[in-house]
């Protein structure tokens, strides 16, 4: 590719490199695909029109981290001219080994802004519009302006929110916005294409996710043995006591620092070593080490799908690609089926029926919900049309509904009655119809 990636060399040397690039031939490799019909082109494909599609396609990238940097670079070099990017993080020294759009002098600056500046400087003619903030800061009107959205996120909660938002926009506006989701986990990764209301959505595939690592409350409260136990104790048990009116923000350095210091104090009491700031971040945010090569492979797959969707030069993925590089290299594609009872993309939007044991207490029912892989709940609050069963917040409501935890569920909820569940991980309310065994 006719481009040079930035180094910490003098600007004059970089300028001399740029001046020697034949910019007129930059898109030759892409034009070969766009200017002639291939055997897999869509019926609507018109030779020579694809370049215009890339020029006018407004595409949004969610995340400017390890995956996002690769995606932004690929989109710019593939001919996309109007790119937007959202990221709420700032650059840390630990990012520099794989997030190649950043340099040591950028540490502390917003990722979205630095990434946008870098790409526009190195690829002539492309416009990258950054936003430093949360995806929840933007409303439906903002997301409706894009033709394609690519997610390069490291959070299940953020993916669920984005998925629900795009599906709802597509349903209300009757104009489908394809959502391309990429994710990596060490040497494993996945890329998928979600066509809202037509294919399975992210919520449909929650049961494919690994269950997050958790520790028994009794262990972290009474007999900690590992540094992870001390960290869980600090943010699960101590934070709510110290800051009852404030939710822990896992992206706020001051909050993580408080958890680290509190966990370290407890670790010393039990002669436990190994509590570090980095480990604290990993436990609180469930971070799995990133591999640069995996990011590159998955980002390439995502951008390949965006290119096909924008230009109709080839059929897009239907609809899931998985990659594993643990032992050798293995990829597999399959069509993930749409769930009829999915609370996000189901046409019926009916409550889900569940069967529970008659003698189950409310607390046991909540624990059972947390174990369900297709729910991925952390701190669910439950209510019916007539009563509040158990509310996690605010503290005075948690205290007033706490006695219900020891009661039998059948004494609180009638057969066939609907339970409404809210959770910090849910961008919507989950509705269940209870049937007793």
């Amino acid at each position: 590719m006719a481009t040079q990636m930035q180094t910490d060399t003098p600007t004059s040397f970089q300028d001399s490199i740029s001046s020697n690039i034949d910019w007129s031939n930059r898109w030759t490799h892409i034009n070969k695909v766009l200017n002639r019909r291939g055997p897999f082109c869509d019926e609507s494909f018109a030779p020579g029109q694809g370049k215009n599609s890339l020029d006018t396609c407004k595409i949004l990238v969610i995340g400017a981290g390890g995956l996002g940097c690769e995606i932004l670079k690929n989109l710019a070099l593939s001919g996309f001219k109007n790119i937007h990017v959202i990221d709420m993080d700032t650059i840390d020294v630990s990012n520099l080994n794989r997030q190649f759009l950043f340099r040591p002098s950028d540490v502390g600056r917003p990722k979205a802004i630095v990434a946008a500046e870098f790409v526009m400087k190195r690829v002539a003619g492309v416009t990258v519009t950054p936003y430093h903030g949360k995806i929840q800061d933007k409303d439906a009107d903002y997301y409706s302006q894009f033709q394609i959205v690519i997610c390069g996120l490291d959070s299940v909660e953020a993916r669920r929110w984005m998925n629900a938002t795009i599906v709802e926009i597509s349903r209300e506006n009757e104009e489908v916005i394809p959502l391309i989701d990429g994710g990596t986990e060490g040497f494993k990764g996945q890329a998928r294409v979600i066509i809202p209301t037509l294919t399975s959505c992210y919520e449909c595939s929650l049961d494919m996710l690994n269950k997050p690592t958790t520790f028994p409350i009794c262990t972290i409260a009474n007999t900690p043995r590992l540094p992870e136990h001390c960290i869980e104790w600090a943010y699960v048990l101590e934070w709510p006591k110290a800051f009852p009116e404030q939710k822990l923000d896992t992206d706020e350095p001051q909050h993580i620092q408080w958890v680290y210091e509190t966990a370290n104090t407890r670790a010393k009491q039990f002669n436990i070593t190994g509590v570090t700031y980095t480990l604290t971040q990993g436990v609180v945010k469930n971070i799995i080490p990133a591999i640069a090569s995996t990011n590159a492979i998955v980002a390439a797959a995502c951008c390949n799908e965006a290119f096909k969707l924008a230009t109709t030069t080839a059929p897009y993925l239907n609809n899931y690609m998985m990659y594993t590089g643990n032992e050798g290299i293995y990829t597999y594609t399959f069509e993930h089926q749409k769930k009829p009872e999915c609370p996000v993309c189901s046409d019926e939007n009916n409550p889900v029926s569940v069967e529970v044991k008659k003698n189950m207490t409310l607390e046991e029912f909540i624990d059972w919900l947390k174990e369900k892989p297709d729910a991925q709940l952390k701190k669910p609050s439950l209510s019916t049309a007539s009563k509040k069963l158990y509310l996690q917040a605010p503290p005075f409501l948690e205290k007033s509904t706490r006695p219900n935890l020891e009661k039998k569920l059948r004494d609180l909820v009638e057969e066939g009655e609907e339970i409404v569940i809210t959770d910090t991980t849910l961008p919507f309310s989950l509705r269940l119809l209870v049937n007793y065994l």
Side-chain angles (χ1 to χ4, degrees):
M1 292 185 183
T3 187
Q4 301 289 334
M5 300 313 293
Q6 180 177 328
T7 63
D8 285 326
T9 52
T11 303
S12 58
F13 179 68
Q14 293 175 4
D15 292 341
S16 66
I17 294 176
S18 299
S19 64
N20 292 327
I21 296 176
D22 185 0
W23 294 100
S24 62
N25 294 324
R26 169 177 282 279
W27 310 114
T28 300
H29 58 297
I30 294 176
N31 291 335
K32 290 178 181 178
V33 178
L34 300 178
N35 291 339
R36 53 191 176 187
R37 174 174 285 278
F40 303 108
C41 289
D42 188 86
E43 292 182 1
S44 63
F45 175 78
Q49 296 300 310
K51 193 67 173 69
N52 183 59
S53 299
L54 295 175
D55 289 343
T56 59
C57 180
K58 186 180 287 189
I59 188 166
L60 173 65
V61 179
I62 312 280
L67 202 56
C69 283
E70 292 278 358
I71 291 170
L72 289 168
K73 176 260 295 181
N74 289 349
L75 291 177
L77 294 177
S78 296
F80 287 90
K81 297 294 181 61
N82 191 352
I83 306 170
H84 290 240
V85 59
I86 292 180
D87 196 292
M88 65 178 292
D89 288 340
T90 55
I91 299 166
D92 185 77
V93 173
S94 62
N95 302 146
L96 301 181
N97 70 329
R98 64 194 180 281
Q99 298 175 23
F100 55 87
L101 301 183
F102 311 138
R103 295 294 177 267
S105 58
D106 298 321
V107 170
R109 295 187 64 203
K111 288 184 178 181
I113 294 174
V114 175
E117 292 173 351
F118 191 112
V119 173
M120 287 191 289
K121 180 179 180 181
R122 302 304 297 166
V123 185
V126 65
T127 299
V128 184
T129 304
Y131 174 71
H132 174 57
K134 298 180 179 180
I135 54 176
Q136 293 85 353
D137 294 344
K138 299 296 187 179
D139 58 15
D141 289 339
Y142 173 81
Y143 291 110
S144 298
Q145 67 180 301
F146 299 104
Q147 282 75 58
I148 301 173
V149 176
I150 305 181
C151 287
L153 293 161
D154 60 358
S155 162
V156 172
E157 290 86 350
R159 283 189 175 92
R160 295 178 78 176
W161 190 91
M162 200 68 247
N163 172 75
T165 298
I166 296 299
V167 170
E168 185 61 25
I169 290 172
S170 298
R171 181 180 282 123
E172 289 186 355
N173 296 350
E174 297 183 355
E175 185 174 341
V176 172
I177 302 174
L179 176 64
I180 302 171
D181 178 59
T184 64
E185 189 175 274
F187 286 101
K188 297 183 291 184
Q190 55 84 22
R192 66 184 300 178
V193 174
I194 298 169
I195 309 297
T197 73
L198 299 178
T199 68
S200 66
C201 71
Y202 186 78
E203 198 74 20
C204 291
S205 60
L206 283 183
D207 53 2
M208 295 179 64
L209 301 178
N210 294 327
K211 185 177 180 294
T213 302
T214 58
F215 303 102
I217 291 294
C218 58
T219 298
I220 65 175
N222 302 314
T223 56
R225 299 182 300 277
L226 301 172
E228 291 84 353
H229 293 163
C230 300
I231 296 169
E232 286 259 340
W233 174 85
Y235 89 90
V236 173
L237 299 179
E238 291 303 300
W239 178 273
K241 294 179 183 178
F243 309 98
E245 303 297 330
Q246 185 177 14
K247 179 185 173 183
L248 177 70
D249 185 348
T250 59
D251 293 303
E252 173 55 58
Q254 292 181 345
H255 291 193
I256 298 297
Q257 183 67 27
W258 185 93
V259 173
Y260 161 64
E261 293 174 355
T262 305
N264 199 35
T265 300
R266 183 169 177 80
K268 291 178 181 178
Q269 294 173 351
F270 287 86
N271 296 318
I272 297 172
T273 59
V275 174
T276 64
Y277 184 87
T278 301
L279 180 62
T280 301
Q281 282 185 307
V283 171
V284 172
K285 300 182 68 172
N286 194 30
I287 293 174
I288 297 171
I291 307 296
S293 56
T294 309
N295 286 339
I297 292 169
V298 171
C302 290
C303 294
N304 196 37
E305 296 309 315
F307 185 87
K308 291 188 290 184
L309 285 164
T311 63
T312 67
T313 51
Y316 56 81
L317 176 68
N318 185 29
N319 50 34
Y320 198 109
M321 184 279 287
M322 58 176 289
Y323 161 81
T324 57
N326 302 58
E327 298 178 5
I329 296 176
Y330 174 77
T331 60
Y332 178 68
T333 63
F334 65 95
E335 180 181 0
H336 194 284
Q337 297 298 315
K338 187 176 180 181
K339 281 190 174 181
E341 70 280 9
C342 176
V344 172
C345 69
S346 172
D347 295 329
E348 301 298 329
N349 197 27
N350 292 324
V352 178
S353 295
V354 294
E355 295 183 340
V356 298
K357 297 177 181 179
K358 287 185 176 180
N359 294 326
M360 183 178 285
T361 65
L362 179 59
E363 185 172 19
E364 291 171 338
F365 179 67
I366 292 174
D367 290 339
W368 176 75
L369 286 175
K370 290 180 181 180
E371 292 291 326
K372 285 176 65 65
D374 58 350
Q376 295 285 323
L377 301 176
K378 290 185 177 180
K379 292 185 176 182
S381 294
L382 293 77
S383 61
T384 66
S386 59
K387 65 174 76 73
K388 295 176 175 60
L389 301 177
Y390 180 69
L391 302 182
Q392 297 277 356
F396 74 91
L397 284 178
E398 191 282 331
K399 185 177 181 180
S400 66
T401 56
R402 193 183 306 161
N404 287 339
L405 293 175
E406 299 178 358
K407 297 179 181 179
K408 294 285 193 296
L409 185 64
R410 66 185 181 190
D411 296 332
L412 298 168
V413 181
E414 297 181 2
E415 176 89 16
E417 189 174 2
E418 183 177 306
I419 298 178
V420 178
I421 301 172
T422 58
D423 191 277
T424 54
T425 64
L426 291 177
F428 53 87
S429 296
L430 183 63
R431 297 156 56 210
L432 300 180
L433 284 182
V434 175
N435 298 298
Y436 295 108
L437 295 174

